[in-house]
Amino acid sequence: MMKQVLVKRLSVLLTMLCIGIVVEAAVIPDMRFRRVDTREGLSNSEVFCILRDSQGYVWFGTGYGLNRYDGYRIRTYFSYDKDTTSLRNNRIDEIQEGYGGRLWLKQRMNYTMYDPVTEKVDRNPTHWLNEQGMLGSMESIHLDSKMNYWVKSYEEGFYYFNPVTKNLKHFAFGYGPYEFSKDFGISAYTETEEGMVLVSTFGELMCIDGEKGKVLWKDPYVKNAMNAYNDYWVTTDKQQNLWVITHSVGTYIYVKNEKRWYSSLTEWMRAQGYENVPEDVLVWEVRYDAKGLMWVATDHQGVFVLDEENRQWRQFLNVKGDETSLPDNTIKHLYLDQLGRMWLASYKNGVAMCLESMTNFKSMPIGDINTITEDKEGYYWIGRNDGGIIKMDPKTLEPVEQFTKQSLGVPSDIIVGSYTAKDGSLWFGTYEGGILRYQDGQWKNYRTTDPGSALVTNNIWGITEDKWGNIWVGVLGGGAVRIDKKTGQQRAFTADNSALNTVWTNSISTGSNDWIVLGNSEYYALINPGNFKIINGTFPVDNDRKAITVSTATTQAIIDSRGLLWQCSPSGVVIYDLKTKQKTLLDMKSGLFGSNAVSVTEDTRNTMWVATDHGVSNITPLKQEDGTWTFTIRNFNSRDGLQPGPFNQRAIFCSKTGELLIGGQDGLDIISTLKLGNGDSKERPVFSGLVLFDQEVEVGQEYDGRVILEQALDMQRSIRLKYEQNQFTIHMASDNGGINNATRFVYQLEGFNDKWIKSSANNPDITYMSLPPGSYTLCVRMLRDDGTMGEVESRLDITIDAPWYRSWWAIACYVLLIVAVLFLRKPYRRWRRRRKMNRLHRQEEKAAEAEEATPEEEEVEEAVMMEEEEKR
């Protein structure tokens, strides 16, 4: 007995080591990231700066080009020698948004200004500053959080300008203690409670009160310590301590309450009480997140996240093969956007965004997971493909016990099914090991060789319970077996002794109608547990010639709380309404993350979850007024924090607290479904671009003799197209701007169709083909995850001109022609009548003349005729 206890404890210890769970301070969560790189269209992997503008677009400045990201696609801007409205060069060192939404771009030693209305670049924006009273050519510009301008000119001095109040302060050059030196080359700015702090290219600090036009103080400490020209960066922490960072030498931190300088991050962290701080940390930037945690971007050491209150810290690094880790261990820039998301610019692998909702996804490499259930105390019981059963604490996610074939004395460690009965007993199905039951601390094994056993094979693929508490098991190659709760007597249902048309059962469950649902090799079967009536399921034939033939090999079948039957197969998932006979196939074409559906379950919100080979789809059914069903799909994969897959058949379970557990070859994934929400209904749809014949329509450019966009599409909000241009695509986006935005759209074209249409799950574009001439209004809203529409609506007026033969001038010509015909009809008739009368009058005159002719004349005429006849 003692030996078995030691074996169990040793097994638990080994499992904990294999899992690799490290308990960290709860205040610093496990950060997960989404990435954007050249695979999504980023123009260059080295990113210097990030900005989310007031429209919701996110801008990336790279070593080669400016990139605008709308959450779905990237649009790039480059420099062209012959286009003076393009970038000055292709390097973007800094992006700032100014008053009116214009973007100020630092390009090496120069500045340019991008106008979001015209989508053009002003290569010499100094004239705009001059118009505001800031004279001279620009050396440096900074826009603070209130969009006030701080400008140093080469010739005239330093300026502060408030564009709202028009308050302009001028600091003339001077060399006094409270004057602005012309030699003070500005390297960086930061806002403090006192005023704006500037650091020079030699490390000297200066604080300025812009509204009062005063230099408050100067500090030469770093300048004296470094005594070298360098690229300096400056910021303050929550205690208003100053951080002066050089990107090649070190970090200087002035602690205000101590009135002393620290010469490195390591020295400061140790002095503050942080433990296990590494040496030689080269810092790039420091930024606070929305929760007040300090982020430190480093060179080659990833990101440090510090909890200053509890003196705890965590280091986050790039993990090879994990796309939710940092993209690179050198992070050069940190940016906190208006929605509280932290963005990171890496040295050589694009951009990453840390999203709090990604902490709702956990992935645990604890082996090949086949099945999951939950006991009455809330502990998870996890069946593995190669290591027996693990009992796990749902709060700490640490294993409590482990059971193997050695410790239990059973013939199989391959657990393929599990179920928790109403009486608290736990049931497990195995491959070649029969049934395992755990109750009151005791294990029992049911096998084919037991006296009175009805099991045909020891391959138990699933377990469920009827409303009387009797246990039903699905037997691969043996149909189904019922175990009586009171007597323990077993009864088999096979193709030989019942109406079942196959014994190859792959899943078993109890439907909302209390029938037992078998998923098998011939679709599915239903068993009434009261009278044992069996219905072998078939789907209605789809007469559409292009209808996909659905596979009969069911991996799992269940009936949900709405009475809908869900059948998973290699074809996708078929949803079948048993009452109305409506059949819907969801596969990769309709938005499912892959077509090989391996498992399905219903969560506590009554939405459905389907796992495919390499992803998980959350499906929300919505019943329409006519009784039909529509389905909204939301996908998740490894970029959201899940394992790369493949996921295993039937390895899906929803706990009482709403945690979704999914098993795969790489371990266990846990999704907190209740924290996912139903989508932000206040998100605003954005018209991101217009495409004609696969060509992006540029602002101000002529197409077939006409300028279609005088302004950016989302600002112009109307387009007029020729009849030949009636095939077009509208790029849709939202003002969210987050990476890999999965939100879909619902739209209606007023004047054409009153039906609201959902955009594709994989493509948010709206395309119209051969739209008839007329005036229309495109109305677009966001589609919530529950299938309902968002509140905010964006509208775009669309006019399609008629072809030339139906144009107004052509119709005018037709009308004039008709009028002319009608007007000239009577005169024409009178003219014809006079002409006819004149002809009749001439004929009468000739006839009269002929009657008056003499006989001699007749003889002469006759002789002449005879003479002419002889000549012929």
Side-chain angles (χ1 to χ4, degrees):
M1 183 67 181
M2 182 63 69
K3 184 178 180 180
Q4 290 181 346
V5 173
L6 289 173
V7 169
K8 286 184 179 181
R9 289 181 177 177
L10 181 60
S11 299
V12 172
L13 179 60
L14 290 173
T15 302
M16 291 178 68
L17 292 174
C18 292
I19 295 174
I21 299 176
V22 180
V23 180
E24 296 283 355
V27 291
I28 304 179
D30 187 14
M31 305 295 184
R32 298 295 185 91
F33 303 90
R34 285 181 179 169
R35 302 181 187 176
V36 168
D37 53 36
T38 53
R39 291 174 295 180
E40 284 75 37
L42 193 67
S43 62
N44 191 266
S45 294
E46 185 177 16
V47 181
F48 300 122
C49 51
I50 304 170
L51 173 79
R52 180 178 181 269
D53 68 17
S54 53
Q55 301 280 330
Y57 293 120
V58 181
W59 297 82
F60 308 131
T62 74
Y64 185 72
L66 176 67
N67 297 253
R68 190 192 76 180
Y69 185 60
D70 61 16
Y72 300 88
R73 63 190 72 78
I74 289 177
R75 183 175 181 181
T76 54
Y77 299 81
F78 296 103
S79 173
Y80 301 99
D81 293 338
K82 295 184 179 180
D83 184 359
T84 57
T85 64
S86 67
L87 297 173
R88 182 182 288 270
N89 58 67
N90 284 317
R91 181 185 174 96
I92 311 296
D93 295 294
E94 187 180 31
I95 307 172
Q96 303 178 83
E97 184 174 17
Y99 193 69
R102 299 180 182 89
L103 300 184
W104 291 79
L105 313 174
K106 185 179 181 182
Q107 299 194 259
R108 296 189 186 275
M109 299 298 294
N110 299 293
Y111 287 87
T112 55
M113 186 171 64
Y114 172 85
D115 189 339
V117 177
T118 63
E119 297 185 346
K120 304 299 182 185
V121 174
D122 186 346
R123 292 185 174 183
N124 185 27
T126 301
H127 66 87
W128 185 88
L129 297 174
N130 295 162
E131 292 171 1
Q132 314 307 316
M134 293 169 278
L135 307 178
S137 53
M138 181 171 34
E139 178 184 340
S140 174
I141 181 171
H142 176 75
L143 291 117
D144 62 25
S145 58
K146 297 179 180 179
M147 293 189 180
N148 298 316
Y149 290 76
W150 305 75
V151 178
K152 183 193 176 188
S153 72
Y154 284 103
E155 309 89 358
E156 302 297 331
F158 187 80
Y159 293 93
Y160 164 82
F161 175 63
N162 185 323
V164 177
T165 65
K166 305 302 180 182
N167 181 19
L168 176 66
K169 298 295 182 182
H170 177 223
F171 299 77
F173 288 138
Y175 293 92
Y178 294 98
E179 291 183 299
F180 200 109
S181 172
K182 189 174 184 178
D183 299 330
F184 192 97
I186 302 174
S187 183
Y189 303 74
T190 190
E191 294 179 60
T192 71
E193 293 178 353
E194 291 182 274
M196 183 66 69
V197 173
L198 294 67
V199 61
S200 75
T201 51
F202 280 88
E204 183 180 4
L205 294 170
M206 179 191 305
C207 183
I208 297 176
D209 185 328
E211 286 292 325
K212 295 180 180 179
K214 291 182 178 181
V215 175
L216 302 180
W217 53 260
K218 297 180 181 180
D219 191 325
Y221 179 86
V222 178
K223 178 181 179 182
N224 296 335
M226 296 290 296
N227 194 28
Y229 179 90
N230 213 316
D231 181 18
Y232 294 90
W233 189 81
V234 63
T235 190
T236 58
D237 60 24
K238 288 190 292 187
Q239 290 75 36
Q240 293 298 298
N241 300 322
L242 282 170
W243 293 58
V244 180
I245 298 169
T246 64
H247 297 153
S248 59
V249 181
T251 300
Y252 290 86
I253 305 168
Y254 179 75
V255 178
K256 202 170 184 180
N257 60 4
E258 299 178 17
K259 296 183 179 180
R260 63 159 293 185
W261 284 90
Y262 290 90
S263 59
S264 70
L265 175 67
T266 301
E267 181 187 13
W268 175 81
M269 288 183 67
R270 288 174 178 171
Q272 301 303 310
Y274 294 93
E275 298 179 352
N276 303 318
V277 182
E279 301 281 355
D280 303 325
V281 180
L282 187 59
V283 178
W284 274 94
E285 280 192 10
V286 176
R287 192 82 62 187
Y288 283 97
D289 66 15
K291 292 185 175 181
L293 298 176
M294 178 188 287
W295 290 54
V296 181
T298 75
D299 192 284
H300 286 86
Q301 295 191 55
V303 170
F304 296 174
V305 178
L306 282 63
D307 173 19
E308 295 178 276
E309 184 177 346
N310 297 295
R311 297 296 188 265
Q312 295 171 343
W313 71 283
R314 289 188 66 178
Q315 182 180 17
F316 295 92
L317 296 165
N318 171 261
V319 178
K320 187 176 181 180
D322 183 359
E323 292 202 19
T324 65
S325 66
L326 288 182
D328 188 13
N329 285 331
T330 296
I331 303 299
K332 304 183 73 171
H333 176 60
L334 299 170
Y335 173 71
L336 184 69
D337 71 13
Q338 302 92 324
L339 300 180
R341 301 171 300 198
M342 185 66 78
W343 295 75
L344 303 87
S346 74
Y347 172 57
K348 58 181 180 181
N349 200 18
V351 176
M353 180 190 73
C354 182
L355 191 62
E356 184 177 353
S357 64
M358 292 189 67
T359 60
N360 299 327
F361 299 83
K362 302 180 183 70
S363 187
M364 304 170 58
I366 57 175
D368 194 351
I369 307 302
N370 283 336
T371 183
I372 310 104
T373 190
E374 179 185 19
D375 66 20
K376 285 196 169 182
E377 287 74 34
Y379 286 92
Y380 301 145
W381 293 71
I382 301 164
R384 299 198 291 177
N385 194 49
D386 51 6
I389 302 168
I390 297 173
K391 180 181 179 182
M392 178 179 289
D393 188 321
K395 296 179 180 179
T396 65
L397 299 182
E398 296 181 17
V400 177
E401 291 184 85
Q402 183 176 8
F403 305 91
T404 65
K405 65 180 182 180
Q406 290 83 5
S407 63
L408 297 178
V410 295
S412 178
D413 251 350
I414 304 174
I415 311 299
V416 292
S418 61
Y419 182 78
T420 301
K422 299 172 187 175
D423 62 5
S425 59
L426 300 173
W427 297 76
F428 299 91
T430 71
Y431 173 71
E432 293 296 343
I435 307 168
L436 295 174
R437 186 192 72 181
Y438 180 76
Q439 188 171 24
D440 299 327
Q442 301 296 319
W443 287 92
K444 183 176 180 179
N445 186 203
Y446 299 81
R447 301 178 65 192
T448 57
T449 55
D450 295 342
S453 175
L455 297 175
V456 178
T457 75
N458 286 317
N459 301 320
I460 311 302
W461 250 230
I463 305 169
T464 190
E465 181 180 19
D466 63 26
K467 64 180 180 179
W468 296 286
N470 303 309
I471 298 298
W472 292 72
V473 296
V475 185
L476 184 67
V481 171
R482 173 184 178 272
I483 303 176
D484 189 279
K485 176 184 178 182
K486 297 179 180 179
T487 66
Q489 186 177 356
Q490 300 180 16
R491 175 175 177 175
F493 297 83
T494 67
D496 295 330
N497 65 8
S498 72
L500 282 179
N501 60 3
T502 179
V503 295
W504 297 101
T505 303
N506 292 320
S507 74
I508 189 168
S509 62
T510 303
S512 57
N513 58 359
D514 293 326
W515 284 53
I516 305 301
V517 184
L518 305 182
N520 55 41
S521 59
E522 298 296 331
Y523 287 128
Y524 67 96
L526 303 177
I527 304 177
N528 187 321
N531 58 18
F532 305 131
K533 178 182 178 181
I534 294 176
I535 299 175
N536 290 303
T538 58
F539 292 133
V541 178
D542 196 332
N543 294 321
D544 189 345
R545 290 181 59 190
K546 294 185 178 181
I548 298 174
T549 302
V550 178
S551 173
T552 62
T554 302
T555 54
Q556 187 177 8
I558 67 171
I559 295 178
D560 70 9
S561 59
R562 289 163 285 263
L564 299 177
L565 175 73
W566 296 70
Q567 180 239 3
C568 293
S569 76
S571 305
V573 58
V574 172
I575 304 106
Y576 184 54
D577 190 327
L578 296 169
K579 294 181 180 179
T580 66
K581 310 304 180 184
Q582 176 190 346
K583 182 184 75 171
T584 304
L585 171 65
L586 299 181
D587 58 7
M588 188 164 55
K589 289 185 177 180
S590 52
L592 207 64
F593 199 89
S595 292
N596 186 23
V598 296
S599 63
V600 58
T601 194
E602 186 171 5
D603 65 19
T604 55
R605 304 174 303 165
N606 299 119
T607 70
M608 307 301 295
W609 291 83
V610 174
T612 55
D613 281 338
H614 300 283
V616 179
S617 300
N618 182 212
I619 303 172
T620 304
L622 186 64
K623 195 170 187 178
Q624 305 300 307
E625 293 181 357
D626 61 0
T628 60
W629 293 92
T630 60
F631 303 91
T632 303
I633 303 174
R634 184 181 182 187
N635 293 321
F636 305 95
N637 56 26
S638 59
R639 288 197 165 189
D640 298 292
L642 301 179
Q643 59 182 287
F647 293 100
N648 290 329
Q649 295 184 7
R650 304 172 303 281
I652 193 167
F653 177 80
C654 187
S655 73
K656 296 187 287 286
T657 59
E659 300 292 289
L660 184 75
L661 293 85
I662 313 161
Q665 291 186 11
D666 294 326
L668 179 70
D669 289 338
I670 303 177
I671 302 176
S672 301
T673 62
L674 297 180
K675 296 180 181 179
L676 294 178
N678 67 341
D680 185 4
S681 61
K682 296 182 180 179
E683 204 169 324
R684 181 180 71 87
V686 172
F687 300 108
S688 183
L690 173 66
V691 176
L692 281 178
F693 307 110
D694 297 325
Q695 182 181 4
E696 189 86 22
V697 176
E698 303 288 342
V699 175
Q701 186 171 338
E702 284 193 2
Y703 294 86
D704 197 14
R706 177 191 292 177
V707 175
I708 297 175
L709 293 179
E710 298 284 355
Q711 300 178 354
L713 181 63
D714 196 58
M715 298 182 180
Q716 182 167 299
R717 292 299 181 94
S718 65
I719 55 173
R720 188 182 190 92
L721 302 174
K722 293 184 176 181
Y723 178 74
E724 298 81 9
Q725 299 169 333
N726 62 354
Q727 301 180 16
F728 58 91
T729 296
I730 304 293
H731 283 324
M732 291 306 305
S734 80
D735 60 356
N736 178 282
I739 293 179
N740 297 331
N741 193 344
T743 309
R744 294 169 61 185
F745 302 88
V746 59
Y747 61 94
Q748 174 195 60
L749 189 62
E750 291 183 356
F752 180 74
N753 194 332
D754 59 357
K755 183 179 180 181
W756 287 91
I757 303 170
K758 297 177 183 178
S759 65
S760 167
N762 301 318
N763 184 2
D765 293 344
I766 298 174
T767 299
Y768 286 101
M769 306 290 289
S770 303
L771 195 62
S775 297
Y776 311 94
T777 299
L778 178 63
C779 309
V780 185
R781 296 188 183 189
M782 308 305 297
L783 181 66
R784 293 192 185 103
D785 296 332
D786 61 3
T788 60
M789 292 191 298
E791 300 172 1
V792 182
E793 181 174 290
S794 295
R795 300 170 68 89
L796 176 69
D797 294 329
I798 302 172
T799 301
I800 306 295
D801 288 343
W804 66 269
Y805 53 84
R806 290 177 56 186
S807 62
W808 68 267
W809 55 266
I811 294 174
C813 291
Y814 302 152
V815 172
L816 290 174
L817 181 60
I818 292 172
V819 170
V821 169
L822 293 175
F823 180 77
L824 296 174
R825 185 177 179 183
K826 288 184 178 180
Y828 175 72
R829 286 181 176 178
R830 287 196 297 269
W831 174 79
R832 287 191 63 187
R833 190 162 46 249
R834 286 196 301 268
R835 183 181 178 187
K836 183 177 181 181
M837 292 178 64
N838 291 336
R839 186 169 60 251
L840 291 173
H841 183 68
R842 286 194 299 270
Q843 290 176 354
E844 290 175 356
E845 288 180 347
K846 288 182 179 181
E849 291 176 356
E851 291 176 357
E852 293 177 357
T854 61
E856 291 81 5
E857 291 175 342
E858 292 178 356
E859 291 177 1
V860 171
E861 184 176 352
E862 184 178 355
V864 171
M865 292 176 61
M866 290 179 62
E867 184 178 353
E868 290 180 352
E869 183 68 25
E870 289 177 357
K871 289 181 180 180
R872 285 197 294 269

